[in-house]
Amino acid sequence: MSRGRLIVITGPSGVGKGTLLKSWMKRHPEFYLSISVTTRSPRPGEMDGKHYFFRSRSQFHQMVENGDLLEWAEFAGNCYGTPRQPVEDQIRRGQSVILEIELEGARQIRQTFPEALRIFVLPPSMEELEQRLRGRGQDSDEAIARRLERAKAEIGAAGEFDVQVINDDLEAALSRIEDVLCAPV
Ligand code: ADP
Ligand code: 5GP
């Protein structure tokens, strides 16, 4: 059986990665969307084991020490990481796996899985990004400021990725992702 592909989706917080991937997974349930571990508190409506595995800092660091994470990074004051086992299992079974992770994690994956396809999602403008972060209404002003600061650095690294997708119109962005992921390899 041929191995599945590893696909990395990165882009600034609030650009719409979660929204794109929700629609993507409805249309393409054959992909496996990795569930990350985080030390951040759940937002209203987020469920443990569905959106993230919510863990304490000490639990998170234990996972790092045990080698349980494929990659991990700190983002805006919290830790985030990808559980190794499910990703490796799915790829071995021939299923394509999507990781939705920030820049530092994407760089780590480039070292460990150079064959991974890496996509960067860009906002139409910084103003629109700020509006989306505020419109989501789930982060404090301080958290939004930290995320916008980090966004500038992340956007500056978009050229490191194999593909850049601007999430202006959602359908157009989805169809661009479709072109990339469903093209023959
Ligand atoms: P991320 O996962 O990248 O942090 P989200 O998916 O939570 O971002 O999206 C942030 C906000 O932007 C949400 O309120 C979402 O509804 C909105 N959004 C996402 N994509 C678009 C788009 N193409 N046009 C307008 N608003 C969008
Ligand atoms: P949020 O707090 O908005 O859910 O996520 C903040 C950032 O963490 C986003 O850029 C998201 O892509 C990233 N992220 C989520 N899970 C992981 C992970 O497992 N590893 C890394 N490196 N980043 C992650």
Side-chain angles (χ1 to χ4, degrees):
M1 188 195 290
S2 64
R3 284 162 64 82
R5 291 162 91 193
L6 186 61
I7 296 137
V8 173
I9 310 262
T10 301
S13 179
V15 74
K17 302 177 299 296
T19 309
L20 282 166
L21 285 173
K22 201 170 166 197
S23 295
W24 178 263
M25 291 305 293
K26 275 200 191 126
R27 294 176 201 190
H28 293 279
E30 71 276 17
F31 284 76
Y32 174 84
L33 181 59
S34 162
I35 303 171
S36 299
V37 184
T38 183
T39 60
R40 150 165 102 55
S41 309
R43 295 183 180 128
E46 284 186 334
M47 281 165 14
D48 186 47
K50 182 169 181 216
H51 298 93
Y52 279 107
F53 296 105
F54 296 99
R55 296 290 181 265
S56 66
R57 271 198 176 249
S58 66
Q59 287 172 322
F60 190 96
H61 286 297
Q62 194 59 57
M63 293 183 83
V64 172
E65 275 182 23
N66 294 346
D68 292 342
L69 301 179
L70 203 55
E71 61 71 37
W72 72 276
E74 251 194 270
F75 181 94
N78 293 296
C79 297
Y80 296 80
T82 302
R84 179 189 297 280
Q85 184 91 48
V87 172
E88 292 183 345
D89 286 352
Q90 297 296 335
I91 287 179
R92 218 173 294 121
R93 277 186 211 141
Q95 189 151 20
S96 291
V97 173
I98 301 181
L99 309 184
E100 192 251 274
I101 59 178
E102 54 66 69
L103 179 63
E104 295 307 323
R107 285 177 170 157
Q108 292 169 41
I109 295 292
R110 187 183 201 175
Q111 300 301 317
T112 48
F113 280 85
E115 70 283 14
L117 176 68
R118 301 183 321 138
I119 299 176
F120 195 92
V121 184
L122 286 158
S125 66
M126 286 307 285
E127 292 71 29
E128 173 67 16
L129 182 66
E130 182 165 359
Q131 269 187 22
R132 287 186 192 172
L133 277 169
R134 295 199 184 284
R136 185 164 69 184
Q138 291 187 331
D139 296 296
S140 64
D141 281 353
E142 195 214 331
I144 288 174
R146 286 167 113 174
R147 279 162 193 259
L148 282 172
E149 202 45 52
R150 177 85 171 227
K152 289 182 202 148
E154 295 209 321
I155 289 170
E160 292 177 22
F161 287 69
D162 302 306
V163 179
Q164 293 79 28
V165 175
I166 299 174
N167 181 23
D168 190 350
D169 175 68
L170 193 78
E171 277 305 316
L174 277 168
S175 99
R176 172 106 169 94
I177 293 175
E178 180 109 34
D179 288 346
V180 173
L181 293 191
C182 299
V185 227

